[in-house]
Amino acid sequence: MLKNLLGKRLRKMRKVHGLTQKELSEMIELSVPSIGKIETGKTVPIFETFIKLTEVYADTAVEDILCDSLDVGILYRIKDISARIDSLPEAEREYLYAAARYFVSAMQKEGEADD
């Protein structure tokens, strides 16, 4: 359910910004089929991809991207964590991003095993 909502929102944003899947794929360095899977709700973007999407849609607040998917409390925590991460030295930010990618990957593998 959440994957579908997020996928629809990301597809709408891409279209509002006048981008094709191919153009977006080049901007965020992700394959067109992967973008299709995200937009149809078959998968969710990994943390790194989501960060790239927020950079492409810099005129759109993160809450607006996620508003149908997350409650306000979670959005507040995400903004707080994001601000704290942004204030860290680059090496520490990269360490946190690597750790986040690891945990997201582990959760995705666990989810695939449950399917």
Side-chain angles (χ1 to χ4, degrees), residues 24-95:
L24 181 61
S25 76
E26 292 168 1
M27 294 172 81
I28 65 171
E29 300 171 339
L30 189 68
S31 71
V32 172
S34 293
I35 290 174
K37 287 178 183 178
I38 290 169
E39 290 185 352
T40 58
K42 293 180 181 163
T43 190
V44 294
I46 62 170
F47 182 74
E48 186 174 59
T49 299
F50 188 77
I51 295 297
K52 289 179 182 180
L53 287 167
T54 62
E55 291 169 355
V56 169
Y57 306 132
D59 61 332
T60 306
V62 173
E63 322 65 274
D64 293 337
I65 298 172
L66 299 173
C67 73
D68 288 342
S69 304
L70 299 173
D71 68 39
V72 174
I74 292 173
L75 290 174
Y76 176 77
R77 288 189 293 265
I78 288 172
K79 285 180 82 171
D80 181 52
I81 290 168
S82 180
R84 290 176 186 219
I85 290 172
D86 287 345
S87 69
L88 293 173
E90 184 176 349
E92 290 180 30
R93 276 196 317 268
E94 290 303 317
Y95 176 80

